[in-house]
């Protein structure tokens, strides 16, 4: 899979060429325009925002709790 994003200069497809990890949740990505007459290069930042509080795990239910009336 390729990361693509529109070129801010001409609007053509820009393809990710390099990725630099800044932290566990942030990356800097270098893009290059796919239009050879433009050739613009640009940098973007991708950052994930995990939930502030961890989602608690639910206790596993026993199979006996799933009894059906037959």
């Amino acid at each position: 899979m390729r990361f693509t994003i529109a070129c801010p200069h001409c609007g053509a497809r820009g393809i990710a060429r390099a990725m630099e990890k800044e932290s566990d949740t942030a990356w800097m990505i270098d893009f290059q325009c796919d239009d050879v007459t433009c050739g613009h290069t640009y940098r973007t930042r991708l950052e994930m925002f995990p939930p502030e509080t961890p989602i608690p795990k639910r206790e596993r239910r026993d199979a006996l709790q799933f009894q059906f009336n037959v």
Side-chain angles (χ1 to χ4, degrees):
M1 179 172 98
R2 250 184 208 182
F3 287 125
T4 61
I5 195 168
C7 173
H9 189 257
C10 72
R13 179 179 69 165
I15 300 172
R17 298 294 184 189
M19 184 181 298
E20 179 182 332
K21 188 171 184 176
E22 291 186 326
S23 70
D24 288 341
T25 59
W27 295 264
M28 294 299 281
I29 306 173
D30 294 328
F31 286 86
Q32 182 180 21
C33 181
D34 203 28
D35 183 354
V36 295
T37 58
C38 176
H40 186 70
T41 58
Y42 47 102
R43 179 170 269 195
T44 61
R45 179 183 171 105
L46 174 65
E47 189 170 0
M48 295 188 304
F49 296 98
E52 292 184 19
T53 57
I55 299 170
K57 287 189 175 185
R58 293 189 294 177
E59 291 183 27
R60 187 178 178 126
R61 294 187 265 183
D62 294 330
L64 297 176
Q65 292 179 351
F66 296 111
Q67 294 179 355
F68 298 99
N69 297 329
V70 180

